[in-house]
């Protein structure tokens, strides 16, 4: 791994998977990765409760420099009326695949958002042949949580259930 990129565990101060990462922690780590030239963090909306919806684009150095061209070609391929005589096969052959990885659509899907953290780290810091091949052949877009409101609500509920002494009273669980 590259030594100049902190792992999520090192950045957040706890081992990812030892407890669920909060939406705030996920955003902080993705904002950190956004400081590197081969990553770009983008907001695409806001939740009902006002939390930002974001995605992180990760590409090789070569592909990071041509993201607008790749985006434009994807748009042309999505609507053949805009090809303006361009050969679709030539467009396809000249660009990397684009993979959208969306995580955490349900608030109680605890491991999915944590997996997004680990994937982002692997793609940003991995120096192995498989990671290099993925980045050479694709642009990866990571949406770490499609439902940050639900995740926050669920983590808050889990925190309220935790205590030093377990209560077996059914009313305790429902209140």
């Amino acid at each position: 791994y590259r030594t100049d990129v902190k792992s999520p565990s090192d950045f957040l101060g706890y081992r990812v998977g030892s407890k669920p990462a909060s939406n705030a922690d996920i955003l902080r780590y993705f904002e950190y990765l956004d400081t590197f030239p081969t990553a770009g963090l983008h907001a695409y909306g806001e939740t009902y409760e006002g939390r930002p919806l974001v995605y992180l684009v990760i590409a090789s150095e070569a592909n990071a420099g041509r993201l607008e061209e790749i985006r434009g070609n994807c748009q042309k391929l999505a609507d053949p009326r805009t090809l303006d005589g361009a050969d679709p096969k030539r467009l396809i052959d000249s660009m990397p695949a684009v993979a959208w990885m969306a995580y955490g659509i349900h608030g109680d899907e605890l491991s999915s958002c944590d997996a997004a953290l680990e994937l982002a780290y692997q793609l940003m810091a991995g120096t192995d042949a498989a990671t290099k091949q993925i980045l050479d052949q694709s642009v990866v877009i990571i949406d770490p949580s499609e439902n940050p409101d639900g995740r926050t609500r669920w983590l808050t509920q889990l925190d309220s259930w935790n205590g030093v002494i377990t209560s077996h009273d059914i009313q305790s669980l429902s209140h």
Side-chain angles (χ1 to χ4, degrees):
Y1 288 94
R2 290 172 44 179
T3 57
D4 63 326
V5 180
K6 290 182 182 179
S7 71
S9 297
D10 288 339
F11 183 85
L12 298 173
Y14 57 87
R15 198 177 94 254
V16 171
S18 66
K19 68 175 189 172
S22 69
N23 187 65
D25 282 351
I26 293 166
L27 285 176
R28 282 188 320 111
Y29 187 67
F30 273 43
E31 288 166 352
Y32 161 71
L33 293 179
D34 184 43
T35 65
F36 293 89
T38 58
L41 186 63
H42 305 271
Y44 67 89
E46 189 176 273
T47 69
Y48 181 76
E49 296 177 4
R51 291 178 182 84
L53 294 165
V54 300
Y55 62 90
L56 183 72
V57 178
I58 302 175
S60 67
E61 285 185 32
N63 288 332
R66 55 188 280 249
L67 286 177
E68 282 307 310
E69 171 196 338
I70 293 166
R71 184 172 171 251
N73 287 343
C74 284
Q75 287 176 329
K76 286 179 185 176
L77 291 168
D79 185 355
R81 296 171 296 177
T82 64
L83 283 171
D84 296 326
D87 178 13
K89 180 164 177 23
R90 178 178 247 157
L91 281 178
I92 292 167
D93 290 344
S94 72
M95 55 189 271
V98 177
W100 183 282
M101 310 300 290
Y103 292 87
I105 194 166
H106 300 109
D108 62 348
E109 294 172 356
L110 293 182
S111 62
S112 62
C113 299
D114 296 331
L117 290 170
E118 290 294 334
L119 174 64
Y121 173 65
Q122 180 65 44
L123 294 174
M124 288 298 299
T127 59
D128 59 291
T131 301
K132 184 176 175 355
Q133 182 179 15
I134 289 168
L135 292 175
D136 286 344
Q137 296 178 3
S138 63
V139 171
V140 180
I141 303 169
I142 304 171
D143 181 341
S145 179
E146 292 183 276
N147 183 5
D149 292 347
R151 183 174 183 84
T152 301
R153 192 167 25 265
W154 183 249
L155 293 182
T156 301
Q157 188 172 7
L158 288 179
D159 283 345
S160 73
W161 288 343
N162 288 330
V164 177
I165 301 170
T166 304
S167 173
H168 298 286
D169 178 3
I170 191 67
Q171 295 303 313
S172 173
L173 187 61
S174 46
H175 293 77

